[in-house]
Amino acid sequence: MFRKESTESMKEMKMGLFKRLSDSFTPKGDISKTAYVTLSAVAFLLIFLLWGIASYIMKVDQMFLPAPVKTVTTAFTMFTKGKFLLDIQMSVQRVLIGFLISSAAGIPLGILIGTYAPCSAFLEPMFSFVRYLPASAFIQLFILWIGIGEEAKVAIIIVGSFAQIILMVANNVRNVSGELIEVSYTLGVSKLEVLWKIILPKCLPDVIDTLRVVLGWAWTYIIVAEMVGASKGIGFMISQAGRQFWVDKIFVGIITIGFIGLFLDMLGLYLKKLLFPWNES
């Protein structure tokens, strides 16, 4: 009797697990936080496993793919005995300064473009043109105009991020439902109040997501800038390691950027939930 009940209980658990798994693949469905963290950890472990297989089983030349253990050892040495922490500090500082300047100026302009048609007609074509100008093409110009100091690196971030933020924020504003705005008019809300009471509360959570995306691009710009005209920074370290064929150091630099980006991305998600808790519902 006990075995029969135990077997039926196991079947129910399996059916429940299968149903939860099936429900999780519903379009725009959701999963628990525990499942999310578990799957994320599995993804990282899978990459590490494939890396180990390539290094230890397939015997890929370490000139091209350093072994995981060697990379970890190199990272420990760089973080404890070298100047890598200073390189990280310089890169983070440059990215954040340029990104904050771009955001402070770009978000209001994006809101104006997305909200008011005259502003869109006057500004959007120009910034659409600027958006396609590659930031890396300005490196040599900025070295000539500004020099090789910090201002040139920050300027690269601004050139690469400013127009992107403006146009993406404008799209965030345009995604606010027109029906929502029309209903607010019928309830007696003025045109000015629509911007502050309807458009901004609805679009600002999406603006945070936009900033998370553009911040990732900003890291690409600064690494390229540091490879050309810098004496400190992660990009400079990667460039120097490439000249010496220190592939393990290159891997450490790339992985470090990934973890910094992941941390900043999670920080953005946390700020979004903290500032706009009502958006979660």
Side-chain angles (χ1 to χ4, degrees):
M1 184 68 178
F2 178 77
R3 287 185 177 180
K4 183 178 180 180
E5 290 179 354
S6 178
T7 303
E8 290 177 355
S9 177
M10 289 293 294
K11 287 182 179 180
E12 289 177 359
M13 289 178 60
K14 289 180 180 179
M15 290 296 294
L17 180 61
F18 178 78
K19 187 178 184 304
R20 289 197 299 271
L21 183 62
S22 177
D23 291 343
S24 67
F25 281 96
T26 302
K28 300 192 73 173
D30 200 5
I31 58 175
S32 66
K33 290 184 178 180
T34 302
Y36 185 92
V37 172
T38 301
L39 289 173
S40 299
V42 168
F44 278 96
L45 289 174
L46 182 60
I47 293 174
F48 195 80
L49 177 63
L50 293 174
W51 184 9
I53 291 173
S55 298
Y56 300 120
I57 298 178
M58 299 177 65
K59 302 294 184 181
V60 176
D61 192 337
Q62 294 206 21
M63 174 65 71
F64 304 102
L65 183 68
V69 173
K70 182 180 180 182
T71 304
V72 171
T73 303
T74 301
F76 180 79
T77 303
M78 291 172 65
F79 275 99
T80 56
K81 298 181 180 179
K83 298 180 179 179
F84 190 48
L85 288 176
L86 179 60
D87 290 325
I88 294 174
Q89 177 188 336
M90 293 304 299
S91 293
V92 171
Q93 177 179 307
R94 290 161 180 162
V95 168
L96 292 182
I97 290 174
F99 180 74
L100 290 175
I101 292 173
S102 299
S103 300
I107 292 174
L109 286 173
I111 292 172
L112 289 176
I113 290 174
T115 305
Y116 302 112
C119 295
S120 175
F122 182 71
L123 296 172
E124 189 166 14
M126 176 179 61
F127 285 115
S128 294
F129 169 79
V130 173
R131 177 178 62 169
Y132 287 98
L133 302 180
S136 57
F138 286 85
I139 293 176
Q140 300 299 334
L141 284 176
F142 286 149
I143 290 176
L144 290 173
W145 293 346
I146 308 174
I148 59 174
E150 295 302 301
E151 294 84 358
K153 283 77 173 177
V154 173
I156 292 296
I157 299 296
I158 295 173
V159 167
S161 305
F162 186 52
Q164 305 286 355
I165 290 175
I166 291 173
L167 296 176
M168 292 178 71
V169 169
N171 283 332
N172 294 147
V173 174
R174 289 179 179 133
N175 287 335
V176 176
S177 173
E179 295 179 358
L180 187 63
I181 295 174
E182 291 298 326
V183 168
S184 69
Y185 285 142
T186 63
L187 295 175
V189 179
S190 68
K191 291 181 179 180
L192 182 59
E193 288 177 327
V194 163
L195 175 60
W196 293 102
K197 294 184 177 181
I198 305 298
I199 294 177
L200 288 182
K202 184 67 176 68
C203 76
L204 285 180
D206 295 332
V207 170
I208 297 294
D209 290 332
T210 288
L211 296 180
R212 289 169 51 214
V213 172
V214 177
L215 182 58
W217 297 341
W219 273 98
T220 302
Y221 308 139
I222 193 60
I223 294 303
V224 173
E226 289 177 343
M227 286 181 174
V228 177
S231 58
K232 297 182 183 70
I234 300 176
F236 171 75
M237 186 279 295
I238 290 175
S239 177
Q240 294 295 105
R243 292 172 185 171
Q244 302 294 328
F245 298 102
W246 292 332
V247 184
D248 50 343
K249 286 191 174 184
I250 296 175
F251 264 66
V252 172
I254 294 172
I255 293 171
T256 300
I257 294 170
F259 278 114
I260 293 172
L262 181 62
F263 169 77
L264 293 174
D265 194 64
M266 294 175 66
L267 180 61
L269 284 173
Y270 172 75
L271 290 176
K272 180 181 175 181
K273 292 180 180 180
L274 181 66
L275 297 174
F276 313 108
W278 48 264
N279 189 63
E280 296 303 309
S281 59

